PDB file of all heavy atoms in Angstrom:
ATOM      1  N   HIS A  78      -7.715   0.723 -18.494  1.00 64.00           N
ATOM      2  CA  HIS A  78      -7.369   2.130 -18.665  1.00 64.00           C
ATOM      3  C   HIS A  78      -6.022   2.478 -18.055  1.00 64.00           C
ATOM      4  O   HIS A  78      -5.648   3.622 -18.000  1.00 64.00           O
ATOM      5  CB  HIS A  78      -8.459   3.000 -18.041  1.00 64.00           C
ATOM      6  CG  HIS A  78      -9.800   2.690 -18.604  1.00 64.00           C
ATOM      7  ND1 HIS A  78     -10.117   3.003 -19.902  1.00 64.00           N
ATOM      8  CD2 HIS A  78     -10.872   2.078 -18.076  1.00 64.00           C
ATOM      9  CE1 HIS A  78     -11.352   2.602 -20.137  1.00 64.00           C
ATOM     10  NE2 HIS A  78     -11.824   2.031 -19.056  1.00 64.00           N
ATOM     11  N   SER A  79      -5.314   1.486 -17.596  1.00 73.00           N
ATOM     12  CA  SER A  79      -4.060   1.802 -16.922  1.00 73.00           C
ATOM     13  C   SER A  79      -2.905   1.806 -17.909  1.00 73.00           C
ATOM     14  O   SER A  79      -2.966   1.232 -18.988  1.00 73.00           O
ATOM     15  CB  SER A  79      -3.787   0.797 -15.819  1.00 73.00           C
ATOM     16  OG  SER A  79      -3.555  -0.466 -16.385  1.00 73.00           O
ATOM     17  N   LEU A  80      -1.841   2.479 -17.510  1.00 82.00           N
ATOM     18  CA  LEU A  80      -0.640   2.512 -18.329  1.00 82.00           C
ATOM     19  C   LEU A  80       0.226   1.311 -17.977  1.00 82.00           C
ATOM     20  O   LEU A  80       0.385   0.983 -16.807  1.00 82.00           O
ATOM     21  CB  LEU A  80       0.158   3.786 -18.015  1.00 82.00           C
ATOM     22  CG  LEU A  80      -0.470   5.117 -18.403  1.00 82.00           C
ATOM     23  CD1 LEU A  80       0.409   6.265 -17.918  1.00 82.00           C
ATOM     24  CD2 LEU A  80      -0.625   5.203 -19.904  1.00 82.00           C
ATOM     25  N   PRO A  81       0.817   0.672 -18.970  1.00 87.00           N
ATOM     26  CA  PRO A  81       1.763  -0.399 -18.638  1.00 87.00           C
ATOM     27  C   PRO A  81       2.981   0.180 -17.904  1.00 87.00           C
ATOM     28  O   PRO A  81       3.290   1.363 -18.060  1.00 87.00           O
ATOM     29  CB  PRO A  81       2.173  -0.964 -19.994  1.00 87.00           C
ATOM     30  CG  PRO A  81       1.419  -0.232 -21.026  1.00 87.00           C
ATOM     31  CD  PRO A  81       0.656   0.894 -20.390  1.00 87.00           C
ATOM     32  N   GLN A  82       3.638  -0.670 -17.122  1.00 87.00           N
ATOM     33  CA  GLN A  82       4.751  -0.189 -16.303  1.00 87.00           C
ATOM     34  C   GLN A  82       5.817   0.550 -17.122  1.00 87.00           C
ATOM     35  O   GLN A  82       6.310   1.595 -16.703  1.00 87.00           O
ATOM     36  CB  GLN A  82       5.372  -1.351 -15.521  1.00 87.00           C
ATOM     37  CG  GLN A  82       6.390  -0.909 -14.479  1.00 87.00           C
ATOM     38  CD  GLN A  82       5.772  -0.020 -13.396  1.00 87.00           C
ATOM     39  OE1 GLN A  82       4.739  -0.331 -12.837  1.00 87.00           O
ATOM     40  NE2 GLN A  82       6.407   1.118 -13.136  1.00 87.00           N
ATOM     41  N   GLU A  83       6.143   0.031 -18.308  1.00 90.00           N
ATOM     42  CA  GLU A  83       7.202   0.684 -19.106  1.00 90.00           C
ATOM     43  C   GLU A  83       6.765   2.090 -19.520  1.00 90.00           C
ATOM     44  O   GLU A  83       7.583   3.009 -19.588  1.00 90.00           O
ATOM     45  CB  GLU A  83       7.549  -0.102 -20.380  1.00 90.00           C
ATOM     46  CG  GLU A  83       7.917  -1.565 -20.168  1.00 90.00           C
ATOM     47  CD  GLU A  83       6.695  -2.421 -19.833  1.00 90.00           C
ATOM     48  OE1 GLU A  83       5.789  -2.489 -20.670  1.00 90.00           O
ATOM     49  OE2 GLU A  83       6.643  -2.997 -18.725  1.00 90.00           O
ATOM     50  N   ALA A  84       5.459   2.241 -19.791  1.00 92.00           N
ATOM     51  CA  ALA A  84       4.954   3.558 -20.187  1.00 92.00           C
ATOM     52  C   ALA A  84       5.036   4.524 -19.002  1.00 92.00           C
ATOM     53  O   ALA A  84       5.340   5.713 -19.184  1.00 92.00           O
ATOM     54  CB  ALA A  84       3.516   3.442 -20.680  1.00 92.00           C
ATOM     55  N   ILE A  85       4.787   4.025 -17.805  1.00 93.00           N
ATOM     56  CA  ILE A  85       4.892   4.890 -16.612  1.00 93.00           C
ATOM     57  C   ILE A  85       6.354   5.313 -16.422  1.00 93.00           C
ATOM     58  O   ILE A  85       6.656   6.482 -16.191  1.00 93.00           O
ATOM     59  CB  ILE A  85       4.376   4.162 -15.349  1.00 93.00           C
ATOM     60  CG1 ILE A  85       2.895   3.820 -15.506  1.00 93.00           C
ATOM     61  CG2 ILE A  85       4.605   5.013 -14.104  1.00 93.00           C
ATOM     62  CD1 ILE A  85       2.334   2.922 -14.420  1.00 93.00           C
ATOM     63  N   ASN A  86       7.245   4.337 -16.540  1.00 94.00           N
ATOM     64  CA  ASN A  86       8.671   4.646 -16.386  1.00 94.00           C
ATOM     65  C   ASN A  86       9.090   5.738 -17.372  1.00 94.00           C
ATOM     66  O   ASN A  86       9.775   6.687 -17.014  1.00 94.00           O
ATOM     67  CB  ASN A  86       9.529   3.397 -16.641  1.00 94.00           C
ATOM     68  CG  ASN A  86       9.273   2.294 -15.626  1.00 94.00           C
ATOM     69  OD1 ASN A  86       8.622   2.521 -14.604  1.00 94.00           O
ATOM     70  ND2 ASN A  86       9.777   1.099 -15.896  1.00 94.00           N
ATOM     71  N   ARG A  87       8.642   5.589 -18.622  1.00 94.00           N
ATOM     72  CA  ARG A  87       9.013   6.542 -19.665  1.00 94.00           C
ATOM     73  C   ARG A  87       8.402   7.919 -19.393  1.00 94.00           C
ATOM     74  O   ARG A  87       9.054   8.951 -19.538  1.00 94.00           O
ATOM     75  CB  ARG A  87       8.530   6.018 -21.021  1.00 94.00           C
ATOM     76  CG  ARG A  87       9.595   6.072 -22.082  1.00 94.00           C
ATOM     77  CD  ARG A  87       9.204   5.475 -23.415  1.00 94.00           C
ATOM     78  NE  ARG A  87       7.809   5.258 -23.634  1.00 94.00           N
ATOM     79  CZ  ARG A  87       7.237   4.046 -23.718  1.00 94.00           C
ATOM     80  NH1 ARG A  87       7.956   2.946 -23.574  1.00 94.00           N
ATOM     81  NH2 ARG A  87       5.937   3.918 -23.945  1.00 94.00           N
ATOM     82  N   LEU A  88       7.144   7.896 -18.962  1.00 96.00           N
ATOM     83  CA  LEU A  88       6.445   9.149 -18.675  1.00 96.00           C
ATOM     84  C   LEU A  88       7.182   9.952 -17.604  1.00 96.00           C
ATOM     85  O   LEU A  88       7.345  11.172 -17.720  1.00 96.00           O
ATOM     86  CB  LEU A  88       5.016   8.822 -18.208  1.00 96.00           C
ATOM     87  CG  LEU A  88       4.169   9.998 -17.751  1.00 96.00           C
ATOM     88  CD1 LEU A  88       3.820  10.888 -18.945  1.00 96.00           C
ATOM     89  CD2 LEU A  88       2.882   9.513 -17.064  1.00 96.00           C
ATOM     90  N   LEU A  89       7.638   9.265 -16.551  1.00 97.00           N
ATOM     91  CA  LEU A  89       8.342   9.971 -15.471  1.00 97.00           C
ATOM     92  C   LEU A  89       9.617  10.628 -16.010  1.00 97.00           C
ATOM     93  O   LEU A  89       9.907  11.780 -15.692  1.00 97.00           O
ATOM     94  CB  LEU A  89       8.687   8.999 -14.331  1.00 97.00           C
ATOM     95  CG  LEU A  89       7.485   8.379 -13.603  1.00 97.00           C
ATOM     96  CD1 LEU A  89       7.963   7.359 -12.567  1.00 97.00           C
ATOM     97  CD2 LEU A  89       6.634   9.453 -12.929  1.00 97.00           C
ATOM     98  N   VAL A  90      10.331   9.897 -16.832  1.00 97.00           N
ATOM     99  CA  VAL A  90      11.556  10.438 -17.419  1.00 97.00           C
ATOM    100  C   VAL A  90      11.213  11.648 -18.303  1.00 97.00           C
ATOM    101  O   VAL A  90      11.836  12.707 -18.204  1.00 97.00           O
ATOM    102  CB  VAL A  90      12.295   9.348 -18.233  1.00 97.00           C
ATOM    103  CG1 VAL A  90      13.438   9.947 -19.048  1.00 97.00           C
ATOM    104  CG2 VAL A  90      12.818   8.247 -17.307  1.00 97.00           C
ATOM    105  N   ASP A  91      10.188  11.514 -19.149  1.00 97.00           N
ATOM    106  CA  ASP A  91       9.823  12.600 -20.063  1.00 97.00           C
ATOM    107  C   ASP A  91       9.406  13.857 -19.308  1.00 97.00           C
ATOM    108  O   ASP A  91       9.812  14.967 -19.652  1.00 97.00           O
ATOM    109  CB  ASP A  91       8.674  12.164 -20.987  1.00 97.00           C
ATOM    110  CG  ASP A  91       9.132  11.114 -21.993  1.00 97.00           C
ATOM    111  OD1 ASP A  91      10.361  10.919 -22.124  1.00 97.00           O
ATOM    112  OD2 ASP A  91       8.258  10.477 -22.630  1.00 97.00           O
ATOM    113  N   LEU A  92       8.579  13.681 -18.271  1.00 97.00           N
ATOM    114  CA  LEU A  92       8.110  14.855 -17.517  1.00 97.00           C
ATOM    115  C   LEU A  92       9.291  15.559 -16.848  1.00 97.00           C
ATOM    116  O   LEU A  92       9.388  16.786 -16.860  1.00 97.00           O
ATOM    117  CB  LEU A  92       7.071  14.428 -16.462  1.00 97.00           C
ATOM    118  CG  LEU A  92       5.713  13.962 -17.006  1.00 97.00           C
ATOM    119  CD1 LEU A  92       4.868  13.336 -15.887  1.00 97.00           C
ATOM    120  CD2 LEU A  92       4.945  15.127 -17.626  1.00 97.00           C
ATOM    121  N   ALA A  93      10.185  14.753 -16.267  1.00 98.00           N
ATOM    122  CA  ALA A  93      11.356  15.358 -15.603  1.00 98.00           C
ATOM    123  C   ALA A  93      12.222  16.071 -16.645  1.00 98.00           C
ATOM    124  O   ALA A  93      12.734  17.169 -16.383  1.00 98.00           O
ATOM    125  CB  ALA A  93      12.154  14.292 -14.864  1.00 98.00           C
ATOM    126  N   ARG A  94      12.346  15.490 -17.828  1.00 97.00           N
ATOM    127  CA  ARG A  94      13.184  16.126 -18.869  1.00 97.00           C
ATOM    128  C   ARG A  94      12.576  17.416 -19.392  1.00 97.00           C
ATOM    129  O   ARG A  94      13.266  18.260 -19.937  1.00 97.00           O
ATOM    130  CB  ARG A  94      13.436  15.149 -20.026  1.00 97.00           C
ATOM    131  CG  ARG A  94      14.423  14.086 -19.590  1.00 97.00           C
ATOM    132  CD  ARG A  94      15.140  13.457 -20.762  1.00 97.00           C
ATOM    133  NE  ARG A  94      16.205  12.609 -20.272  1.00 97.00           N
ATOM    134  CZ  ARG A  94      16.448  11.367 -20.690  1.00 97.00           C
ATOM    135  NH1 ARG A  94      15.701  10.850 -21.654  1.00 97.00           N
ATOM    136  NH2 ARG A  94      17.424  10.672 -20.177  1.00 97.00           N
ATOM    137  N   GLU A  95      11.246  17.549 -19.205  1.00 97.00           N
ATOM    138  CA  GLU A  95      10.605  18.836 -19.558  1.00 97.00           C
ATOM    139  C   GLU A  95      10.946  19.903 -18.531  1.00 97.00           C
ATOM    140  O   GLU A  95      10.499  21.042 -18.637  1.00 97.00           O
ATOM    141  CB  GLU A  95       9.077  18.669 -19.556  1.00 97.00           C
ATOM    142  CG  GLU A  95       8.491  18.187 -20.852  1.00 97.00           C
ATOM    143  CD  GLU A  95       6.962  18.175 -20.769  1.00 97.00           C
ATOM    144  OE1 GLU A  95       6.361  19.216 -20.431  1.00 97.00           O
ATOM    145  OE2 GLU A  95       6.380  17.108 -21.020  1.00 97.00           O
ATOM    146  N   GLY A  96      11.632  19.494 -17.469  1.00 97.00           N
ATOM    147  CA  GLY A  96      12.018  20.458 -16.429  1.00 97.00           C
ATOM    148  C   GLY A  96      10.993  20.581 -15.315  1.00 97.00           C
ATOM    149  O   GLY A  96      11.046  21.507 -14.502  1.00 97.00           O
ATOM    150  N   LEU A  97      10.043  19.641 -15.272  1.00 97.00           N
ATOM    151  CA  LEU A  97       8.990  19.727 -14.260  1.00 97.00           C
ATOM    152  C   LEU A  97       9.422  19.059 -12.946  1.00 97.00           C
ATOM    153  O   LEU A  97      10.252  18.142 -12.945  1.00 97.00           O
ATOM    154  CB  LEU A  97       7.724  19.032 -14.765  1.00 97.00           C
ATOM    155  CG  LEU A  97       7.152  19.557 -16.087  1.00 97.00           C
ATOM    156  CD1 LEU A  97       5.909  18.758 -16.477  1.00 97.00           C
ATOM    157  CD2 LEU A  97       6.802  21.033 -15.958  1.00 97.00           C
ATOM    158  N   SER A  98       8.815  19.515 -11.855  1.00 98.00           N
ATOM    159  CA  SER A  98       8.943  18.786 -10.593  1.00 98.00           C
ATOM    160  C   SER A  98       7.801  17.762 -10.601  1.00 98.00           C
ATOM    161  O   SER A  98       6.639  18.111 -10.779  1.00 98.00           O
ATOM    162  CB  SER A  98       8.828  19.729  -9.401  1.00 98.00           C
ATOM    163  OG  SER A  98       7.637  20.475  -9.453  1.00 98.00           O
ATOM    164  N   VAL A  99       8.164  16.499 -10.443  1.00 98.00           N
ATOM    165  CA  VAL A  99       7.193  15.421 -10.642  1.00 98.00           C
ATOM    166  C   VAL A  99       7.013  14.625  -9.349  1.00 98.00           C
ATOM    167  O   VAL A  99       7.989  14.149  -8.766  1.00 98.00           O
ATOM    168  CB  VAL A  99       7.694  14.448 -11.737  1.00 98.00           C
ATOM    169  CG1 VAL A  99       6.648  13.367 -12.019  1.00 98.00           C
ATOM    170  CG2 VAL A  99       8.042  15.196 -13.015  1.00 98.00           C
ATOM    171  N   VAL A 100       5.769  14.493  -8.920  1.00 98.00           N
ATOM    172  CA  VAL A 100       5.485  13.599  -7.790  1.00 98.00           C
ATOM    173  C   VAL A 100       4.871  12.315  -8.335  1.00 98.00           C
ATOM    174  O   VAL A 100       3.864  12.348  -9.038  1.00 98.00           O
ATOM    175  CB  VAL A 100       4.552  14.267  -6.756  1.00 98.00           C
ATOM    176  CG1 VAL A 100       3.941  13.238  -5.818  1.00 98.00           C
ATOM    177  CG2 VAL A 100       5.323  15.289  -5.938  1.00 98.00           C
ATOM    178  N   ARG A 101       5.527  11.216  -8.079  1.00 97.00           N
ATOM    179  CA  ARG A 101       4.980   9.903  -8.443  1.00 97.00           C
ATOM    180  C   ARG A 101       4.340   9.363  -7.182  1.00 97.00           C
ATOM    181  O   ARG A 101       5.031   8.952  -6.247  1.00 97.00           O
ATOM    182  CB  ARG A 101       6.128   8.991  -8.934  1.00 97.00           C
ATOM    183  CG  ARG A 101       5.710   7.560  -9.125  1.00 97.00           C
ATOM    184  CD  ARG A 101       4.707   7.448 -10.263  1.00 97.00           C
ATOM    185  NE  ARG A 101       4.385   6.071 -10.548  1.00 97.00           N
ATOM    186  CZ  ARG A 101       3.153   5.562 -10.442  1.00 97.00           C
ATOM    187  NH1 ARG A 101       2.141   6.319 -10.046  1.00 97.00           N
ATOM    188  NH2 ARG A 101       2.931   4.304 -10.751  1.00 97.00           N
ATOM    189  N   LEU A 102       3.008   9.379  -7.170  1.00 97.00           N
ATOM    190  CA  LEU A 102       2.270   9.100  -5.946  1.00 97.00           C
ATOM    191  C   LEU A 102       1.686   7.701  -5.970  1.00 97.00           C
ATOM    192  O   LEU A 102       0.966   7.329  -6.899  1.00 97.00           O
ATOM    193  CB  LEU A 102       1.160  10.147  -5.838  1.00 97.00           C
ATOM    194  CG  LEU A 102       0.467  10.322  -4.512  1.00 97.00           C
ATOM    195  CD1 LEU A 102       1.445  10.670  -3.398  1.00 97.00           C
ATOM    196  CD2 LEU A 102      -0.587  11.423  -4.620  1.00 97.00           C
ATOM    197  N   LYS A 103       1.991   6.944  -4.916  1.00 96.00           N
ATOM    198  CA  LYS A 103       1.530   5.551  -4.850  1.00 96.00           C
ATOM    199  C   LYS A 103       0.800   5.308  -3.549  1.00 96.00           C
ATOM    200  O   LYS A 103       1.143   5.902  -2.518  1.00 96.00           O
ATOM    201  CB  LYS A 103       2.732   4.620  -4.889  1.00 96.00           C
ATOM    202  CG  LYS A 103       3.375   4.603  -6.236  1.00 96.00           C
ATOM    203  CD  LYS A 103       4.547   3.671  -6.249  1.00 96.00           C
ATOM    204  CE  LYS A 103       4.960   3.419  -7.657  1.00 96.00           C
ATOM    205  NZ  LYS A 103       4.231   2.347  -8.289  1.00 96.00           N
TER     206      LYS A 103
END
Side-chain angles (χ1 to χ4, degrees):
H78 304 291
S79 66
L80 293 176
Q82 189 62 48
E83 306 74 61
I85 298 171
N86 296 348
R87 228 176 16 249
L88 175 69
L89 296 176
V90 170
D91 290 347
L92 290 170
R94 287 203 171 133
E95 273 185 54
L97 303 179
S98 55
V99 184
V100 164
R101 171 66 175 119
L102 195 58
K103 289 180 166 274

